[in-house]
Every structure is written in C-alpha cells, then in structure tokens.
Amino acid sequence: MKRHEAREKALQTLFQVDGTELTITEASEHVMGLERDNFYELLVEGTHANLAAIDEKLKGHLENWSLERLPKVERTILRMAVFELAFMEDAPASVIMNEAIELSKTFGDDKSSRFVNGVLSKFTDELAN
C-alpha cells in the first residue's frame, strides 16, 4: 500500500474512534478488513497512543480555536500530521504537510486546506527553531 493510501485509511480509522466507543482494533478491522500495512498501523497506533501529547502541541497553534471546537476531520488530520512531524523522522516536513493538505482537500470543506496549512506551518516553524 502506498503511503498516501495508508494515510487516508489511518484518517478514516482515527476519525471513527474520535468521540465514539469504538476501539482502535474495531475501527481498523472496519477500514482495513484483513489487510495489513506497517505504515498504516504505525500512524494509527502512534497517533492514538500519543494523543495527549499531540493535543498539547496543537493547542498552542490554534488561533481563536479550541481543539474541541475544530471539525472532526481537521482535528484528525492535524493530529496525524503532528504525530508524523514530532514523533517520526522518516519523511520531510514538506511532504507531511502536503499530504495533510491533500487529505483536507479530499475529506474536508473548502476552507479546510488553508486552515490545516496555517496550523501546520506554525508548528513546523516552531520545530525548525
């Protein structure tokens, strides 16, 4: 599976888990069936396991927004991207940002991509300094 597809499926899985009673395993089985992919599993499990730290990192970059008020799609995309940017080192920040923007264009509304780009730009600027 290509990484873009793995990110799409990870987004779908994490989206299902956010605010529901579903477990990661149940949501993964629903999205992936019996298919296995290491990158997908790393994204889902890593984002879920580090949720508190990711949310804390995100809160400082949301101008006039609280994490709870964000639409679920944007919140999930931002969480995945921050996980990759802060906890993984196998892809350049520009690639991770581009992927997050593309996911927001596919799954979000007209303003999602600009919002995701703005938040992640602030986050990557902070990481660079």
Side-chain angles (χ1 to χ4, degrees):
M1 172 181 308
K2 292 185 178 185
R3 284 189 169 208
H4 181 75
E5 184 181 354
R7 285 183 179 98
E8 282 185 350
K9 291 186 181 292
L11 170 63
Q12 293 167 357
T13 302
L14 291 166
F15 183 89
Q16 287 184 42
V17 172
D18 188 12
T20 70
E21 298 292 320
L22 280 178
T23 66
I24 287 289
T25 303
E26 291 167 336
S28 292
E29 287 172 0
H30 179 71
V31 172
M32 296 289 285
L34 298 175
E35 188 176 2
R36 311 291 318 157
D37 182 81
N38 289 337
F39 184 68
Y40 161 84
E41 290 172 9
L42 179 62
L43 272 179
V44 170
E45 292 169 12
T47 301
H48 188 66
N50 294 289
L51 209 52
I54 291 166
D55 286 354
E56 201 54 44
K57 290 177 186 301
L58 268 174
K59 285 178 185 177
H61 299 84
L62 300 173
E63 290 183 15
N64 304 319
W65 283 91
S66 68
L67 199 58
E68 298 76 29
R69 279 191 54 225
L70 285 181
K72 201 163 133 175
V73 169
E74 285 87 347
R75 183 172 55 233
T76 306
I77 291 169
L78 287 169
R79 284 173 168 168
M80 283 178 32
V82 167
F83 170 71
E84 280 195 79
L85 290 164
F87 295 92
M88 296 175 64
E89 296 182 5
D90 66 341
S94 59
V95 171
I96 295 166
M97 283 183 60
N98 187 53
E99 286 286 322
I101 291 164
E102 289 304 313
L103 287 172
S104 65
K105 286 178 181 176
T106 302
F107 295 100
D109 65 21
D110 295 340
K111 298 176 185 174
S112 295
S113 61
R114 287 192 305 269
F115 179 75
V116 166
N117 185 27
V119 173
L120 291 179
S121 291
K122 290 176 193 165
F123 186 77
T124 55
D125 288 348
E126 180 184 285
L127 284 178
N129 295 326

